[in-house]
Amino acid sequence: MGIVELGDENFSLVLSGGGALGISHLGVLYDMEQKDLSPSEIIGTSMGGIIGACLAIGMHEKQIHERLKSFAAVSKWIKFTLGGNSIVDSARIERIFDSIFGDRMMSDVKIPLKIIVANLTTGDKRVFGAGDKVMIKDVILATMAIPGIFKEKIIEGKIYGDGFLCENLGLNECSYHNILAVDAIGYNSFAKEMPDSIFKTFNIVEMLERSIRLLMYNQTKQILDGVDKNILLLEPNTSNYKTFHFHKVDKIRELGIGLI
């Protein structure tokens, strides 16, 4: 399937997780606006869920871009905590999401929205959509809650965390045969050489991030093998950036431009 077919048919837009790498989704949204392409539904995980939710409530790419710049100054939203199961207190980031989504429910969108989270007790995947009487901001806080980093989110008495643990690229949740999928942790997210710094700590961090990317990449490959639909898969070249590079919003956004 190519861009021509997208323009003529209903299609699902699937946006992956990937931390700051997911900002590359913005470049794809920019191209979509230039080509007057609008999805019939949006499926998002983690950062893809955040950006997808913004699009679903009617925000334009430029508006989302400006709001994501509030993530650039990490000190504005990260506050470290000594208690609980995470190292980051989410109170500040909760205020950012409250300013964007307010009390909107999952059904209060212009484009149908599905967001993937993981049940941290059972390991099961949970997909929140229009049929759930839950606020968007609460689901967003769940889908981005990397265990140990961000505080887990309790919704309807159940404990949820980052959706990448179950399905980083939500292809299984698409209602339409035609799919535009953007994977920030795809084949083009890997550096071609192993880390070789004189500082062992740097190498360890690099290898840990590479390992997590490999887990998500292989998870997506298995899902792709089992999906019998028309998929236009875009994989921005995010190999030179890290999942925590929120301060490089503009440069990472550019990685998604020109892919369609």
Side-chain angles (χ1 to χ4, degrees), residues 4 30 42 63-64 85-86 88 105 121 129 136 138-139 142 150 164 191 194 197 199 214 216 227 233 258:
V4 175
Y30 172 82
I42 302 167
Q63 294 173 301
I64 304 173
N85 300 322
S86 62
V88 176
M105 308 295 284
T121 303
I136 294 175
D138 288 340
V139 182
F150 294 104
F164 86 83
M194 290 294 177
S197 172
F199 299 104
L214 281 169
M216 288 189 278
V227 176
L233 178 62

Side-chain angles (χ1 to χ4, degrees), residues 8 10 16 41 44 65 100 104 106 123 194 198 211 214 234 260:
D8 294 336
N10 291 329
S16 78
E41 69 171 354
H65 183 195
I100 296 173
R104 285 187 177 91
M106 286 296 292
M194 290 294 177
I198 60 172
S211 298
L214 281 169
L234 307 180
I260 57 175

Side-chain angles (χ1 to χ4, degrees), residues 13-26 29 42-56 64 68 97 101 113-116 139-140 143-144 162-164 167-170 182-185 246:
L13 175 65
V14 185
L15 304 177
S16 78
L21 305 183
I23 296 171
S24 59
H25 296 322
L26 291 178
L29 297 191
I42 302 167
I43 299 100
T45 302
S46 200
M47 179 56 80
I50 296 172
I51 293 176
C54 290
L55 180 63
I64 304 173
L68 281 185
F97 291 146
F101 300 107
L113 173 68
K114 298 174 185 175
I115 295 178
I116 297 172
V139 182
I140 291 298
T143 195
M144 62 157 283
D162 201 310
F164 86 83
E167 191 169 359
N168 194 54
L169 189 66
V182 190
D183 191 2
I185 307 289
F246 290 99

